[in-house]
Amino acid sequence: MKIDNDFFMKLAIDEAWKYQLLTYPNPAVGCVVVKNDSEILAIEAHKEAGGAHAEVNALKEAYLKYHPNTILKTIKDSFKIHEYLIKNHNGFFNDCTIYVTLEPCNHVGKTPSCANLIKQLKPKKVIIAHKDLNNVAKDGQKTLEEVGIKCELGCMQKEAYDLLFPFIKWNSNSFIFYKMAQTLNGTIDGGKISSNQALAYVHALRDKIDLLMIGGNSVRIDKPTLDARFVAGRAPEVLIYSKNKVFEPSIALFKIPNRKVTISDDLFKLLDYKFVMIEGGYTLLEKLKEKIDYIMLIISPKIKVGLNAINESLDLEFEIIHENYVGPDKIVYLKRIK
Amino acid sequence: MKIDNDFFMKLAIDEAWKYQLLTYPNPAVGCVVVKNDSEILAIEAHKEAGGAHAEVNALKEAYLKYHPNTILKTIKDSFKIHEYLIKNHNGFFNDCTIYVTLEPCNHVGKTPSCANLIKQLKPKKVIIAHKDLNNVAKDGQKTLEEVGIKCELGCMQKEAYDLLFPFIKWNSNSFIFYKMAQTLNGTIDGGKISSNQALAYVHALRDKIDLLMIGGNSVRIDKPTLDARFVAGRAPEVLIYSKNKVFEPSIALFKIPNRKVTISDDLFKLLDYKFVMIEGGYTLLEKLKEKIDYIMLIISPKIKVGLNAINESLDLEFEIIHENYVGPDKIVYLKRIK
């Protein structure tokens, strides 16, 4: 197996995907620091909005690998990590290459500018998978090159674009993803399909999204709560997609305090929200396929008889964008290509 | 992300899985060489029976990383690689750790003993995932420890066992795996499901197996050829599982020269063969589930209406043992747990 730039960038991309969507409204970003040509010092990611950027997490871990007993270990605040590294690096990063899935940010916001930090640490090279298109944060590469740091743009760009895509949509209009849980053979009924770990993951997503949309039939049949109790999170606003506006008020989802629920069959409403999750089965998928950016398929490793796509006229093709595990289940991210 | 022994061993295991089953009758083995604590020099695997062992491929690549223009680059023969490394290593491996998924072999067969090679290269440490249970090749660790090389056994042992399992079965009785191709929602009909790359992979497997078993109905309906033409390989012996012994002789599979075809409903016949692939759908899977070691599920990223598990009484649960990609499709290796 070739141990090259693609290999290291793939480690950064995979690490970033672990936090995909959970960093909203920030992009999922991964960073790998390699000393000399192939000594991996750190594989890190941006984990949540407001927290340290991927580069900062990775540079901190890289430094700690050679200086394990320094006070840096206890510092969590981004500004203070920057300050510590700038003061103490002592040329440590001069023989390092930094692999980052997105161009280092060039502005000071909730956290300081990564381009400015890297500029002062003077690594041998910075390899960037995808350009930052954001008007405020862009041009980090220029900042680095101005002080003579060698940069390379475009390593695994396609994979980095797929990783960045939700962020691009958040910044332009809406990112809409469809979450579906099924068995290996596509069965979607039969009580609890997914593992507790997968359910907790879905709850963590519900805690982040601006809107959860669900079909009227699912509400009538499953009587769901649609909250984020497994992660002690916020119950998201709900849009019930239904022509028929009449629902039993005893259904659990209506009883969450301070939650807004709308019943509507106007899909344009989705565009009022930046980050939308749709939970549903095959019928709703067929109806909404044109509106969906990604499908998140949670697959439980079982084969069993049950409700499947058999009553629809589905004929969809996808590219597999990424996959993770969550407990014993798989998560597959799909982009429709037909 | 922690960059520890598990991280490096996982790289070795994943690399080995790329050649899983294709190394028959040898085990799939992976090896990673790390200089100092985290400089990855090589990630290699055993690729086919008769070819160099994983350790030899990895040690060669590792040496070449620092000595790129030596004659070693052109040497393919295992005995000669051993000889070159023993003569020229000059202490190069003394600060290296070798991660290997299976205890280095302790005997000279078609290729020389890996334990003997490593013994002479004197690495800092050898980390072994799984003990070699083979009476002829075992005790490599002892050979290394006798000359003072530090060994550690058991890193990612469970994953290494899953990797080694076909080999264990080949050595004791038979390894039987069930190959099924489907869409994301479990549809198994509708003409060509899998990509050409996936078909070529299946043909590469057919070229290796001792027996291909298929159900009588599949033969009658699909009229398959069941050869290995995509890889210019050998057409395997076929067992048609059927009570009814009458088949149209014009069906393509009967027309392959020098191929043995048996028609039988006696499952004990499977045990006469060490390496058996069964190709089929849900009906046959339900019937044979107790006899199957692994399922190899080739999943094409499509959702479409079609034949599914709906007419069976299937209720199976699996552990996902491993996954690969083959072209746009996924390969998932499953072990039944219910």
Side-chain angles (χ1 to χ4, degrees):
Chain A
M1 186 184 196
K2 257 192 155 168
I3 301 159
D4 53 9
N5 286 345
D6 280 7
F7 172 80
F8 293 117
M9 191 61 87
K10 182 69 165 51
L11 292 174
I13 287 174
D14 285 350
E15 189 65 16
W17 267 100
K18 294 182 186 168
Y19 304 92
Q20 177 64 287
L21 305 184
L22 299 172
T23 58
Y24 175 67
N26 286 359
V29 180
C31 182
V32 167
V33 179
V34 173
K35 208 169 171 70
N36 299 312
D37 277 336
S38 48
E39 183 183 350
I40 301 182
L41 297 187
I43 305 169
E44 294 294 331
H46 179 47
K47 293 177 186 173
E48 59 175 338
H53 284 188
E55 297 92 320
V56 178
N57 283 327
L59 291 165
K60 174 184 167 182
E61 285 309 312
Y63 186 85
L64 284 173
K65 186 126 191 178
Y66 272 70
H67 311 84
N69 295 317
T70 51
I71 183 89
L72 176 62
K73 203 159 63 177
T74 64
I75 305 179
K76 307 262 181 267
D77 176 79
S78 278
F79 283 94
K80 287 185 179 150
I81 299 172
H82 278 237
E83 198 184 313
Y84 184 94
L85 287 174
I86 289 170
K87 204 183 281 176
N88 295 285
H89 69 88
N90 201 15
F92 174 73
F93 295 98
N94 295 163
D95 56 0
C96 288
T97 301
I98 298 173
Y99 294 83
V100 59
T101 62
L102 178 64
E103 189 178 9
C105 71
N106 207 17
H107 83 301
V108 182
K110 280 184 192 166
T111 65
S113 149
C114 289
N116 180 57
L117 171 62
I118 296 171
K119 184 174 107 175
Q120 302 199 48
L121 302 182
K122 284 215 172 15
K124 189 170 65 173
K125 201 190 263 190
V126 179
I127 311 231
I128 300 163
H130 202 285
K131 228 179 152 42
D132 194 339
L133 307 168
N134 186 299
N135 269 329
V136 182
K138 70 178 185 183
D139 286 336
Q141 180 175 346
K142 213 172 120 195
T143 297
L144 298 174
E145 286 175 336
E146 275 167 6
V147 296
I149 296 170
K150 223 176 134 183
C151 294
E152 253 181 65
L153 181 71
C155 169
M156 297 215 111
Q157 187 159 23
K158 193 265 175 207
E159 289 78 1
Y161 177 79
D162 290 339
L163 172 67
L164 192 62
F165 187 68
F167 178 71
I168 293 172
K169 293 295 303 269
W170 290 330
N171 281 337
S172 54
N173 40 61
S174 303
F175 177 74
I176 300 173
F177 76 103
Y178 196 92
K179 180 237 127 189
M180 199 158 84
Q182 63 161 60
T183 64
L184 273 173
N185 67 311
T187 312
I188 58 169
D189 64 343
K192 188 170 164 292
I193 294 171
S194 306
S195 64
N196 285 338
Q197 294 98 315
L199 291 176
Y201 179 68
V202 171
H203 281 218
L205 289 167
R206 286 183 186 160
D207 179 49
K208 300 291 179 196
I209 52 175
D210 296 329
L211 182 72
L212 193 167
M213 180 169 132
I214 186 166
N217 281 340
S218 294
V219 172
R220 289 191 182 92
I221 296 165
D222 301 338
K223 303 188 197 319
T225 310
L226 302 180
D227 63 2
R229 64 193 177 280
F230 287 6
V231 297
R234 170 193 61 109
E237 186 177 335
V238 170
L239 172 65
I240 302 175
Y241 180 62
S242 176
K243 271 196 181 132
N244 175 352
K245 306 287 184 292
V246 182
F247 287 85
E248 270 180 51
S250 64
I251 293 172
L253 80 90
F254 294 110
K255 301 198 156 179
I256 308 280
N258 305 318
R259 116 143 2 134
K260 192 174 157 193
V261 180
T262 311
I263 304 167
S264 170
D265 63 344
D266 174 10
L267 288 176
F268 276 102
K269 273 197 192 306
L270 293 181
L271 300 178
D272 295 342
Y273 301 84
K274 288 212 161 302
F275 189 16
V276 179
M277 168 155 82
I278 304 173
E279 300 195 35
Y282 293 111
T283 314
L284 196 60
L285 176 62
E286 171 67 10
K287 212 168 282 173
L288 299 180
K289 62 186 181 194
E290 305 288 348
K291 311 268 183 284
I292 293 163
D293 293 307
Y294 281 178
I295 293 179
M296 176 192 290
L297 197 60
I298 300 178
I299 302 178
S300 177
K302 300 168 188 166
I303 293 181
K304 52 188 283 190
V305 177
L307 188 65
N308 204 306
I310 45 168
N311 296 318
E312 318 303 325
S313 55
L314 283 166
D315 188 6
L316 307 176
E317 291 186 19
F318 304 93
E319 183 192 349
I320 299 173
I321 296 299
H322 193 77
E323 339 176 54
N324 281 336
Y325 282 95
V326 54
D329 299 337
K330 284 207 52 61
I331 302 181
V332 183
Y333 296 86
L334 304 164
K335 190 160 82 179
R336 195 167 67 88
I337 54 177
K338 184 191 140 185
Chain B
M1 186 185 197
K2 258 191 155 168
I3 301 159
D4 54 9
N5 286 344
D6 280 7
F7 173 81
F8 294 116
M9 192 60 87
K10 182 71 166 49
L11 292 174
I13 287 173
D14 286 349
E15 190 63 17
W17 267 99
K18 294 182 185 169
Y19 305 91
Q20 177 65 284
L21 305 184
L22 299 173
T23 58
Y24 175 70
N26 286 359
V29 180
C31 181
V32 167
V33 179
V34 173
K35 206 169 173 69
N36 299 311
D37 277 336
S38 48
E39 185 184 350
I40 302 182
L41 296 187
I43 305 168
E44 294 294 331
H46 179 47
K47 293 176 186 175
E48 59 176 338
H53 284 188
E55 298 92 321
V56 178
N57 283 328
L59 291 165
K60 174 182 167 184
E61 286 308 311
Y63 186 85
L64 284 173
K65 185 126 191 177
Y66 272 69
H67 312 83
N69 296 316
T70 50
I71 184 90
L72 176 62
K73 205 158 61 176
T74 64
I75 305 179
K76 307 263 182 263
D77 177 79
S78 278
F79 283 94
K80 289 186 178 150
I81 299 171
H82 278 237
E83 196 183 313
Y84 183 94
L85 287 175
I86 289 169
K87 203 182 283 177
N88 296 284
H89 68 89
N90 199 15
F92 174 74
F93 295 99
N94 296 162
D95 55 0
C96 288
T97 300
I98 298 174
Y99 295 83
V100 60
T101 62
L102 178 66
E103 189 178 9
C105 71
N106 210 17
H107 83 302
V108 182
K110 281 185 194 166
T111 65
S113 150
C114 289
N116 179 58
L117 171 62
I118 296 171
K119 183 174 107 176
Q120 302 198 50
L121 301 182
K122 286 216 173 11
K124 189 170 65 174
K125 201 190 262 190
V126 179
I127 311 229
I128 300 163
H130 203 283
K131 229 179 152 41
D132 194 340
L133 307 168
N134 185 298
N135 270 330
V136 181
K138 70 178 184 184
D139 287 337
Q141 180 174 348
K142 214 172 120 196
T143 298
L144 297 174
E145 285 174 336
E146 275 167 7
V147 296
I149 296 170
K150 222 175 134 184
C151 294
E152 252 181 66
L153 181 71
C155 170
M156 296 214 111
Q157 187 159 22
K158 192 261 172 210
E159 290 78 1
Y161 176 78
D162 290 338
L163 171 67
L164 193 61
F165 187 67
F167 178 71
I168 294 173
K169 292 297 301 272
W170 291 329
N171 280 339
S172 54
N173 38 62
S174 303
F175 176 75
I176 300 173
F177 76 103
Y178 196 91
K179 180 237 129 190
M180 198 158 84
Q182 62 160 60
T183 64
L184 272 173
N185 67 311
T187 313
I188 57 170
D189 64 344
K192 186 170 166 292
I193 294 171
S194 306
S195 63
N196 284 338
Q197 293 98 317
L199 291 176
Y201 179 69
V202 171
H203 282 218
L205 289 166
R206 285 183 186 160
D207 179 49
K208 300 291 180 197
I209 53 175
D210 295 329
L211 182 72
L212 194 168
M213 178 168 135
I214 186 166
N217 281 340
S218 294
V219 172
R220 290 189 181 93
I221 295 166
D222 302 338
K223 304 187 195 319
T225 312
L226 301 180
D227 64 0
R229 64 194 178 280
F230 288 5
V231 297
R234 169 193 61 110
E237 184 176 336
V238 170
L239 172 64
I240 301 175
Y241 180 62
S242 176
K243 272 196 179 134
N244 175 352
K245 305 287 185 291
V246 183
F247 288 84
E248 271 180 51
S250 65
I251 292 172
L253 80 90
F254 294 110
K255 303 195 157 181
I256 307 281
N258 306 318
R259 120 153 345 144
K260 190 174 159 196
V261 179
T262 311
I263 303 167
S264 169
D265 62 344
D266 175 10
L267 288 177
F268 277 102
K269 274 199 190 304
L270 293 180
L271 301 178
D272 295 341
Y273 301 84
K274 288 214 161 298
F275 189 16
V276 179
M277 167 155 82
I278 304 173
E279 300 194 35
Y282 292 111
T283 315
L284 197 60
L285 175 63
E286 171 68 12
K287 211 169 280 172
L288 300 179
K289 62 187 181 193
E290 306 287 348
K291 310 267 182 285
I292 294 163
D293 292 308
Y294 281 178
I295 293 180
M296 177 193 288
L297 197 60
I298 300 179
I299 303 178
S300 176
K302 299 168 189 165
I303 293 181
K304 53 188 283 190
V305 178
L307 188 65
N308 203 307
I310 46 169
N311 296 320
E312 317 303 324
S313 56
L314 283 166
D315 187 7
L316 308 176
E317 291 186 20
F318 305 93
E319 184 193 349
I320 299 173
I321 296 299
H322 193 77
E323 341 174 53
N324 282 337
Y325 282 95
V326 54
D329 299 338
K330 283 207 54 60
I331 302 182
V332 184
Y333 297 86
L334 303 165
K335 189 160 84 179
R336 194 167 66 89
I337 54 176
K338 185 192 137 184

